[in-house]
Amino acid sequence: MTTTSPSLDPPPWPHCAVEVSPGDPVGCRGLIVGPYDACLAHLPEASRATYLAGLAPDTEINHSGTTFTGDLLRRLLHALRDPGSGHLLVRHARFEAATFSEAADFGGVDFVDVCFDGAVFCGDAVFRGATFAGIAEFRRATFTGSAGFSRTAFSLAADFGGAEFALDARFDNARFADAAFVGAAFCGDAWFGTAAFLHDAHFDRATFAEADFRGAVFSGNAGFSRVAFSGRALFEGAVFSGGTSMRGAVFSGDAGFGGARFVGDARFGAAQFSRSADFHDVAFARDAWFGAVEFAGGARFGSATFAGSARFDATTFSGEAAFQKTAFSGGARFIRAVFSDNADFSEAVFSREAVFRGAAFSGSAAFGGATFSTGAVFSGVAFETVSQLGPMACEEELDLSGARFGSPVTIEAAAAFFTCIRTRWDSTATLRLRYAAVDLTNAVIEYPLSVSTCPSAFGDDRRAVDESGLAGLDPVARITSLSGVDAAHVALTDVDLSGCRLTGTFHLDQLRLEGRCTFAAAPTGLHRHGALPTRWTQRRTLAEEHHWRAATGSTGWTPAPCGTSPQPPAALAPVYRQLRKSFEDAKNEPDAADFYYGEMEMRRHDGDRPPSERALLTLYWALSGYGLRASRALVWLLGAMAATVLIMVLWGIPKDDPQAVTTGHLTGQHISLTTDDATPVNPSGPLRSRLTSERWEKSLRIVVNSVVFRSSGQNLTTTGTYTEMASRLTEPALLGLAVLAVRGRVKR
């Protein structure tokens, strides 16, 4: 409560100037009562009685600057009493700069226009039940005692701008039209409980010790900008029908808004809450602005509803931030917000986009059961000690790009898209996902990271996650990109890799694939490759091979997404090679075979390789599918055997089996014998005549022996001899390729 010495300047009205002294050259500042030469307080008793006797309820009175004792005030009011009704009627009165040295009782008085500007109430000021039909002016009034305005009705403007209330000020159940308390100082308790403000109410720059606005109704705009509450500020159940501004307000004590209703915009920008701030069950019908607000204590927004935009940009939550079961029907913005303690958004509902870009969570961040009907942006967020994020549901994109996790964390989410571009994990992490297309491009992974598909819906009987917005989608998580990722610490379980971009991934050979991880399959059926019909070999393929083949005109392959350039075969061969090694290191030789096939395909189509190498690879592909297609090798083997048999039947078997001729010489008792084989005779006659069963049987025996790399011992023509040599070289090789292909599929 401030005290000021009397002004040395005379008032702007004729004053009585009694009690002039060196310290007070102005003297009494009371307005002279005409036709007398003194104020009402200093009139002789006879003159005062005459003056009072001449007053009537409709008399305009002006006693500015006058000092009233309790008795003098009672006599004045008695003179203004309506003799018919007995009511105190003060139609037009001015008490500007008046001093009420004792209790001033205006209870039940009916005022029209009244001015108490600069008045000083040294005792209690009682206006309980008074009515102000006109303008009520209390600017810069000083209430040294308690001020009682309970059940007071202000039909027009009520101006208490700059007023000072040293003790309690009671305006409970009061009724205001336009109310102005700009710059007012409430040093005691200020009671505005269930007060009704029919038009605008201005409390800007006012100061409160304890303020009670519980149940108050603000039908117009409510201005509390830069208000200072040194004690508690209670607004529970208050209704703000117009715009509400509490920008820059300072709440040094507890602030309670539980159950309040903000029908218009609510602006709390740059406000400061030194202790707890309770907005539990508050309804914001339009935009709510909490930008740059400082919550030093706990901030409770549990079960609150935000029908418009909720903006908490650059807001600081030093204590616990509770938003459990809060409903955000408009956009929710927490850009660069700082959560120094625990933040609880469990079971919150975000009907439009929720943006936490650049926010910092130093404590836990509970989003269990939270649902996002559109997107949720956590890009650039710092999660220092968060150990659990989710489970949550997001019908569109859950964006964690650029976020950083400083401690071991488990993330559980059901989302259409899960984006982690340049996300950094400084410790172990487990991602349990459903429905999501996961983009891990350029993510920084220094510790083990597990990505898996959760087989069943998140939640339990107590708290289930609403996944209805994702109904109809495949619940299997899909990895869309590992480009730029160090896969040495990555483990994937039960995920879909059919659309995953793997070029640019580091240490891909150390990638761990567990459970059922699917890759893109080659097109089935008959398709066109250039101008020729083609049936593609069934195998696991990379998404990038799909993109490249589609770009080269092959049908049935998936084209590259818009804005993505297909990778050339030279870039895909190392990817296939590293994936093959990953499967081989996991002792999964059969599945590794598909990636060996893909590697060889990319080498065969790599235009930078020497033509001789590509020709050799083409021959290897044609004969046996790079040693992986047993059927192809067997077809070639059977074809070679059939050709060999036919050649043998027609030209390789001689006409008749040549008979050996033995000759000798007898000399004395010695005999010398020489046996010569006859030269095989080429068959003659029509070719049809050579197709006998005997010749078929001999040819088949020769071919079978050639396949197992044995000589048949059969006499052959020159053509047959060279044919046998060729078959003994090629057919065992083809058989070996078939055996190799079978072994590749069954090897453990």
Side-chain angles (χ1 to χ4, degrees), residues 378-457:
F378 290 86
S379 57
V381 173
F383 297 95
E384 298 294 344
T385 60
V386 173
S387 61
Q388 177 78 28
L389 189 62
M392 65 182 79
C394 182
E395 296 182 18
E396 295 183 5
E397 181 181 21
L398 177 57
D399 188 359
L400 288 166
S401 298
R404 182 177 65 84
F405 293 87
S407 61
V409 63
T410 297
I411 302 176
E412 296 179 322
F417 301 94
F418 187 83
T419 305
C420 293
I421 299 175
R422 293 186 300 277
T423 303
R424 182 183 185 92
W425 282 277
D426 293 335
S427 189
T428 58
T430 300
L431 310 183
R432 301 180 68 241
L433 307 172
R434 288 173 59 79
Y435 306 101
V438 185
D439 188 350
L440 292 169
T441 302
N442 295 323
V444 180
I445 303 171
E446 299 180 355
Y447 293 85
L449 172 72
S450 170
V451 183
S452 63
T453 296
C454 184
S456 58

Side-chain angles (χ1 to χ4, degrees), residues 238-330:
V239 177
F240 300 86
S241 299
T244 303
S245 176
M246 295 195 181
R247 289 179 293 189
V250 176
F251 298 84
S252 299
D254 295 336
F257 289 85
R261 299 291 181 266
F262 292 87
V263 180
D265 292 344
R267 299 177 180 270
F268 288 81
Q272 298 179 17
F273 295 86
S274 300
R275 301 187 65 178
S276 66
D278 185 6
F279 288 86
H280 181 80
D281 199 34
V282 172
F284 297 91
R286 297 187 63 179
D287 295 344
W289 301 71
F290 287 85
V293 172
E294 296 182 8
F295 292 96
R300 297 178 56 204
F301 286 85
S303 299
T305 58
F306 293 85
S309 175
R311 297 176 179 264
F312 290 83
D313 299 342
T315 300
T316 301
F317 297 89
S318 299
E320 182 177 2
F323 288 87
Q324 66 273 21
K325 296 185 178 180
T326 301
F328 298 90
S329 300

Side-chain angles (χ1 to χ4, degrees), residues 42 194 290 319 390 432 496 544 651 654 729:
H42 292 102
T194 64
F290 287 85
R432 301 180 68 241
D496 183 356
E544 288 98 326
W651 298 286
L729 176 66

Side-chain angles (χ1 to χ4, degrees), residues 53 137 169 194 401 482 502:
E137 299 174 312
T194 64
S401 298
L482 287 173
L502 293 171

Side-chain angles (χ1 to χ4, degrees), residues 234-604:
L234 305 178
F235 289 86
E236 285 94 341
V239 177
F240 300 86
S241 299
T244 303
S245 176
M246 295 195 181
R247 289 179 293 189
V250 176
F251 298 84
S252 299
D254 295 336
F257 289 85
R261 299 291 181 266
F262 292 87
V263 180
D265 292 344
R267 299 177 180 270
F268 288 81
Q272 298 179 17
F273 295 86
S274 300
R275 301 187 65 178
S276 66
D278 185 6
F279 288 86
H280 181 80
D281 199 34
V282 172
F284 297 91
R286 297 187 63 179
D287 295 344
W289 301 71
F290 287 85
V293 172
E294 296 182 8
F295 292 96
R300 297 178 56 204
F301 286 85
S303 299
T305 58
F306 293 85
S309 175
R311 297 176 179 264
F312 290 83
D313 299 342
T315 300
T316 301
F317 297 89
S318 299
E320 182 177 2
F323 288 87
Q324 66 273 21
K325 296 185 178 180
T326 301
F328 298 90
S329 300
R333 292 167 50 108
F334 290 83
I335 298 175
R336 298 188 307 279
V338 177
F339 298 86
S340 300
D341 205 331
N342 298 331
D344 187 357
F345 288 86
S346 57
E347 298 185 67
V349 177
F350 299 85
S351 300
R352 299 186 65 182
E353 187 176 45
V355 182
F356 290 81
R357 186 182 302 113
F361 292 87
S362 298
S364 65
F367 284 86
T371 57
F372 300 85
S373 298
T374 55
V377 180
F378 290 86
S379 57
V381 173
F383 297 95
E384 298 294 344
T385 60
V386 173
S387 61
Q388 177 78 28
L389 189 62
M392 65 182 79
C394 182
E395 296 182 18
E396 295 183 5
E397 181 181 21
L398 177 57
D399 188 359
L400 288 166
S401 298
R404 182 177 65 84
F405 293 87
S407 61
V409 63
T410 297
I411 302 176
E412 296 179 322
F417 301 94
F418 187 83
T419 305
C420 293
I421 299 175
R422 293 186 300 277
T423 303
R424 182 183 185 92
W425 282 277
D426 293 335
S427 189
T428 58
T430 300
L431 310 183
R432 301 180 68 241
L433 307 172
R434 288 173 59 79
Y435 306 101
V438 185
D439 188 350
L440 292 169
T441 302
N442 295 323
V444 180
I445 303 171
E446 299 180 355
Y447 293 85
L449 172 72
S450 170
V451 183
S452 63
T453 296
C454 184
S456 58
F458 294 113
D460 50 33
D461 295 337
R462 183 179 61 87
R463 186 174 66 187
V465 177
D466 183 9
E467 299 180 1
S468 60
L470 298 166
L473 298 179
D474 186 354
V476 176
R478 309 178 308 281
I479 310 298
T480 61
S481 175
L482 287 173
S483 181
V485 173
D486 186 348
H489 301 291
V490 177
L492 306 178
T493 305
D494 297 329
V495 298
D496 183 356
L497 294 167
S498 60
C500 183
R501 298 191 305 274
L502 293 171
T503 51
T505 305
F506 304 100
H507 299 128
L508 191 57
D509 58 322
Q510 300 180 42
L511 175 67
R512 290 178 53 196
L513 300 176
E514 307 289 344
R516 186 174 183 272
C517 294
T518 58
F519 286 82
T524 59
L526 198 63
H527 293 274
R528 180 177 56 81
H529 178 60
L532 300 176
T534 303
R535 186 181 298 276
W536 300 100
T537 301
Q538 290 304 298
R539 59 186 173 89
R540 294 176 179 86
T541 62
L542 297 180
E544 288 98 326
E545 182 179 349
H546 272 259
H547 303 162
W548 170 73
R549 289 192 183 274
T552 58
S554 299
T555 62
W557 298 85
T558 305
C562 181
T564 303
S565 299
Q567 296 293 327
L572 301 184
V575 178
Y576 272 114
R577 185 181 309 117
Q578 293 185 66
L579 279 175
R580 172 177 61 83
K581 184 177 183 300
S582 174
F583 277 88
E584 290 174 347
D585 291 344
K587 306 302 181 183
N588 188 355
E589 297 285 351
D591 289 341
D594 282 347
F595 298 97
Y596 173 72
Y597 192 104
E599 176 191 354
M600 301 301 285
E601 276 286 275
M602 295 302 101
R603 289 175 57 188
R604 182 167 71 92

